[in-house]
Amino acid sequence: MPTIDYRQLYIGGQWEDPAKSETIEVFSPSTEQQIGSVPRGSETDVDAAVAAARRAFDDPDGWSTWSPSRRGDVLERFAAELEARGEETARRVSMQNGMPIWLAQQFEAGFPPLLLRYYSGIMTATPAEDARPGMLGGTALVSRQPVGVVAAITPWNVPQGISFLKIAPALAAGCTMVLKPAEETVLDAFLMAEAALAAGLPAGVLNVIPGGRDLGAYLVAHPGIDKVSFTGSTAAGRAIGETCGRLLRPVTLELGGKSAAIVLDDADLGANIESFFGVTLLNNGQICWLNTRVLAPRSRYAEIVDTVTGLAGSLTIGDPLDPETKIGPLVSSRQRDRVEGYIAKGKKEGRLTTGGGRPKGLDRGWYVEPTVFADMTNSSQVSCEEIFGPVLSVIPYDNESEAIAIANDSNYGLGGTVWSSDVERATAVAHKVRSGTVGVNHYTNDPVAPFGGIKDSGIGRELGPEGLDAFQVYKTIYLPPA
């Protein structure tokens, strides 16, 4: 199969030659063969991209000053261009990170246009300012204005879906952006740039510069940046937060997780097995909010262990481009090594019920079998550290209060679920779980509601109107008494 190769970077609304000749080579996690390449961005390229974004933002007749409806017309064209490339976007993501193609069609092809239209609609429907009668005389005019030039740094696991958690609200608000995609998933980012160009996004409104951690650090600290939005590991988030704190620069950090699925004693997992798969092993275990701790009542512990084991053992493992595949490869050999290291620890900490190795018959590719450990404690490394792979711990509890305590006994607080035949009871338990988001008998990042975490899972929120707030600043004008 021919490789997908780019020779230029998307800067200032056009394709520009990079400052250096270095490239990022992209490899298939299922075949281990090279499938493409793009230029590796340099600090000089970041300077050019930030300068282009700054010009676009500061232009007195430019993007930031347009009416929401005028920006909305362009964003609608952008959404349409993304939809026209949806099939290819899903294919590229699946080829790069191992995401099963049916999931890539939902997350990577379908979600970005939805978000562009959602945030465009919010901006169009929201008054530009409101007049507040003063208590001390006069009137206060309060408006929301775009924060400025945004640096967006995104991960490889859901590259387009997560990128548009940032791109859609930022552009709708009137901001301009420099996007640094992860090195593992750059081919989809360049396809997205093609869509932006075809949609007629004004020059400099969106720029794409791929690179590694050092380049990300340079972008975060760049004097031309007004706001940083990052999704990735907690360790990287801490470093970014320190930089932004020193610079007094607004930052949104969507970080790691080790969420718990609380299975109550009246739950019918069999009736909700597809939803349970969706919160535990989706995307090969490579999603930050997945519930990789399964809390089961002792009164039904053996039964629930068998159910979870049966689910993990039944999943079709294979080529991510095959619509029948439920579990594809991990993104890289390094990631597989990391996951296998945790599996080795788990074999010493608990009882392996299924998986634990590489699937037979798949000699190439970075595959790991869905793995379940029973008889685990919440303090074991496999139970308390983020693995980012298809590895579950099933932890017993004696009563509802203990289940809540175990769920809350974590450095993270991003996701979680509660499973019960009684939705009212499950909702009451969900209220007691210390986490930014909790699902009842399922989990869905709905665009209308804020998503984000507490503790080591991050700062700030994406999605919902709150996700738009992150890219706006308030301005007050005090008018004199009439």
Side-chain angles (χ1 to χ4, degrees):
M1 184 174 65
T3 59
I4 302 169
D5 299 297
Y6 289 86
R7 297 288 179 260
Q8 295 178 302
L9 298 170
Y10 184 64
I11 301 174
Q14 59 189 7
W15 296 103
E16 296 279 1
D17 291 333
K20 297 183 178 180
S21 60
E22 295 179 52
T23 60
I24 296 172
E25 297 178 342
V26 184
F27 292 86
S28 162
S30 58
T31 68
E32 304 183 31
Q33 296 177 335
Q34 184 173 339
I35 56 175
S37 66
V38 303
R40 179 179 294 279
S42 67
E43 293 182 0
T44 301
D45 298 316
V46 168
D47 291 343
V50 173
R54 173 56 60 191
R55 287 193 298 272
F57 184 80
D58 290 344
D59 183 347
D61 299 314
W63 184 257
S64 63
T65 69
W66 289 10
S67 68
S69 60
R70 185 181 177 191
R71 286 198 297 268
D73 289 341
V74 177
L75 296 183
E76 172 57 37
R77 294 200 301 270
F78 193 10
E81 293 291 344
L82 290 172
E83 286 176 330
R85 294 164 175 79
E87 183 177 345
E88 176 64 10
T89 297
R91 188 181 75 91
R92 289 193 186 187
V93 171
S94 185
M95 288 168 56
Q96 292 173 105
N97 70 2
M99 179 185 289
I101 189 65
W102 58 268
L103 185 61
Q105 289 164 350
Q106 297 174 39
F107 280 9
E108 303 296 84
F111 206 47
L114 179 70
L115 291 176
L116 284 171
R117 292 175 175 128
Y118 171 70
Y119 281 109
S120 177
I122 289 180
M123 282 299 301
T124 303
T126 303
E129 63 183 11
D130 66 287
R132 304 178 186 179
M135 298 178 66
L136 304 176
T139 300
L141 287 180
V142 180
S143 62
R144 294 182 180 184
Q145 301 188 339
V147 69
V149 177
V150 175
I153 300 176
T154 54
W156 47 259
N157 61 323
V158 189
Q160 285 302 294
I162 291 175
S163 290
F164 277 85
L165 296 181
K166 308 170 191 312
I167 293 172
L171 297 192
C175 299
T176 59
M177 302 189 75
V178 178
L179 171 70
K180 191 202 81 65
E183 294 176 280
E184 294 85 350
T185 48
V186 288
L187 303 179
D188 56 289
F190 278 61
L191 184 63
M192 181 272 292
E194 292 177 14
L197 186 60
L201 238 64
V205 169
L206 178 61
N207 308 269
V208 180
I209 307 294
R213 293 181 179 180
D214 290 346
L215 194 71
Y218 182 77
L219 175 61
V220 165
H222 199 287
I225 294 297
D226 298 307
K227 153 85 181 184
V228 175
S229 183
F230 170 77
T231 299
S233 72
T234 296
R238 290 187 192 281
I240 290 170
E242 289 175 4
T243 298
C244 290
R246 185 177 69 253
L247 296 172
L248 299 179
R249 181 166 293 168
V251 62
T252 298
L253 301 172
E254 199 276 280
L255 309 177
K258 192 69 181 181
S259 303
I262 300 177
V263 182
L264 297 180
D265 55 17
D266 65 344
D268 184 357
L269 284 189
N272 294 283
I273 202 67
E274 275 294 322
S275 293
F276 195 76
F277 161 72
V279 306
T280 53
L281 294 166
L282 196 69
N283 197 26
N284 319 326
Q286 298 178 138
I287 296 180
C288 51
W289 48 255
L290 285 179
N291 298 189
T292 51
R293 291 183 295 151
V294 179
L295 312 189
R298 289 189 191 276
S299 61
R300 296 180 57 195
Y301 187 73
E303 172 200 344
I304 291 169
V305 167
D306 287 346
T307 299
V308 176
T309 299
L311 168 64
S314 70
L315 300 171
T316 302
I317 308 171
D319 182 355
L321 294 175
D322 183 343
E324 299 301 315
T325 293
K326 288 291 188 179
I327 298 290
L330 299 182
V331 70
S332 65
S333 59
R334 180 179 63 182
Q335 185 65 15
R336 183 176 63 178
D337 290 344
R338 170 183 168 84
V339 172
E340 289 181 331
Y342 275 103
I343 290 174
K345 295 173 184 176
K347 290 177 179 178
K348 299 176 181 178
E349 296 174 327
R351 172 169 57 93
L352 178 69
T353 68
T354 190
R358 299 179 183 181
K360 293 181 175 60
L362 293 171
D363 298 327
R364 287 195 305 176
W366 300 308
Y367 291 92
V368 173
E369 294 174 320
T371 299
V372 178
F373 289 105
D375 304 333
M376 298 293 282
T377 66
N378 197 52
S379 60
S380 69
Q381 279 188 277
V382 172
S383 297
C384 65
E385 296 181 10
E386 185 176 41
I387 299 173
F388 231 60
V391 181
L392 305 180
S393 296
V394 187
I395 303 168
Y397 69 85
D398 287 315
N399 54 56
E400 192 175 287
S401 295
E402 185 185 15
I404 295 167
I406 293 172
N408 291 340
D409 183 17
S410 173
N411 292 330
Y412 298 102
L414 183 58
T417 53
V418 183
W419 301 82
S420 172
S421 297
D422 184 339
V423 172
E424 186 175 345
R425 178 191 178 195
T427 303
V429 171
H431 277 296
K432 298 175 183 178
V433 175
R434 295 200 66 234
S435 181
T437 60
V438 185
V440 171
N441 294 335
H442 84 306
Y443 186 96
T444 302
N445 290 136
D446 195 296
V448 304
F451 167 74
I454 60 175
K455 299 187 279 188
D456 285 1
S457 290
I459 298 172
R461 293 294 181 267
E462 296 179 312
L463 293 177
E466 295 80 3
L468 184 64
D469 291 345
F471 297 99
Q472 296 177 310
V473 291
Y474 286 95
K475 181 174 183 178
T476 301
I477 299 175
Y478 301 109
L479 300 179

